[in-house]
Amino acid sequence: MERIDNRNHNQLRDITIEPNVNIHAEGSVLITFGNTKVICNASIENNVPRWMRNSDEGWVTGEYGMLPRSTNERMGREAARGKQSGRTQEIQRLIGRSLRQAVNLKYLKGKTVNIDCDVIQADGGTRTASVTGGCVALFLAIKNHHDDQRAIKSYVAAVSLGIKNNRVLLDLNYDEDSSADTDLNIVMNDKDELIEIQGTAEDAPFSKTELSDMLELGSSAIN
């Protein structure tokens, strides 16, 4: 089976990470996975959520959004609708959970790092690009604007996989993602440890063997 962009089944799209794209943010990158482009900004604030006021730790949280013309047709801004979609909220939680695994929160005491991930062009894998780019923006912010470098614990990255026509594919673009029998997103750290697995059988169930194959291929790609 040939892929639309002539990649091998186990081949990532071209990836670039351009740092310091925003002169105002403590840390920022433009990350590109093929035709997917996401701007990730990290901002350090000298406060924590109300429920953490008596805690000895800091906090890391994520926000995610797709710009109106990031897809083939203009989509309305969620702010104009007055609420975020369930998909947006779920992706934001994924980004926050993943990036909290990248840091030692006790060394961020009294501070919150907000990671804003804005999709400027979408072609599949926007959440995994957001996690990966968000980690780089987070570490740039800590390295350049935080006194205690012990806050940095481990690099975190993510990648998407899928099964189509009984074959495991790595790093799906939109056309592949929208027609795949199985969708899987995995997040891992630089110790080859899993942080999150999101897997769904869209058209047909997948076997434990296929799951193992996807995890192995995804682990190799993340490394």
Side-chain angles (χ1 to χ4, degrees):
M1 181 190 71
E2 288 191 6
R3 304 182 73 174
I4 294 172
D5 48 14
N6 296 316
R7 284 183 291 145
N8 292 327
H9 77 282
N10 60 350
Q11 184 179 352
L12 289 163
R13 290 174 289 181
D14 291 336
I15 300 171
T16 62
I17 302 177
E18 181 182 352
N20 307 315
V21 295
N22 186 336
I23 63 172
H24 302 294
E26 284 86 343
S28 64
V29 303
L30 169 62
I31 185 166
T32 300
F33 272 65
N35 287 324
T36 288
K37 302 177 184 294
V38 185
I39 292 177
C40 304
N41 289 302
S43 305
I44 301 177
E45 297 181 356
N46 292 315
N47 57 58
V48 293
R50 184 179 305 170
W51 54 270
M52 290 190 70
R53 294 269 166 88
N54 297 318
S55 170
D56 289 330
E57 296 185 338
W59 193 243
V60 174
T61 187
E63 291 195 14
Y64 168 95
M66 296 182 67
L67 297 188
R69 206 52 217 267
S70 58
T71 57
N72 58 354
E73 293 181 356
R74 185 186 186 277
M75 66 175 69
R77 296 182 188 273
E78 291 185 325
R81 297 198 295 268
K83 66 176 183 178
Q84 293 178 320
S85 69
R87 175 183 180 273
T88 294
Q89 294 179 51
E90 184 261 321
I91 292 175
Q92 290 182 162
R93 295 187 188 107
L94 169 67
I95 295 168
R97 286 193 304 268
S98 299
L99 297 185
R100 284 191 289 275
Q101 295 293 320
V103 297
N104 289 299
L105 292 174
K106 65 181 179 181
Y107 297 120
L108 289 172
K109 182 180 178 180
K111 298 183 184 295
T112 295
V113 187
N114 293 288
I115 312 296
D116 292 291
C117 302
D118 291 291
V119 180
I120 61 175
Q121 185 169 281
D123 186 33
T126 61
R127 73 185 65 197
T128 52
S130 295
V131 169
T132 306
C135 182
V136 180
L138 169 63
F139 282 4
L140 286 172
I142 292 174
K143 287 179 179 179
N144 295 327
H145 298 276
H146 186 60
D147 293 335
D148 198 335
Q149 297 297 294
R150 291 177 297 175
I152 293 176
K153 182 170 68 174
S154 61
Y155 285 95
V156 168
V159 74
S160 66
L161 300 108
I163 298 175
K164 186 174 181 180
N165 298 330
N166 298 315
R167 187 162 199 190
V168 173
L169 301 177
L170 175 68
D171 190 19
L172 278 60
N173 61 30
Y174 176 77
D175 287 331
E176 293 171 332
D177 184 45
S178 61
S179 61
D181 299 325
T182 296
D183 289 329
L184 188 80
N185 299 296
I186 63 171
V187 185
M188 301 184 73
N189 63 19
D190 55 14
K191 301 178 181 65
D192 203 35
E193 296 170 330
L194 285 160
I195 294 172
E196 183 137 355
I197 304 172
Q198 297 181 332
T200 304
E202 299 286 355
D203 188 60
F206 54 96
S207 68
K208 293 178 182 178
T209 299
E210 289 171 324
L211 175 60
S212 178
D213 289 344
M214 286 189 286
L215 291 176
E216 182 176 350
L217 178 54
S219 172
S220 176
I222 286 174
N223 282 331

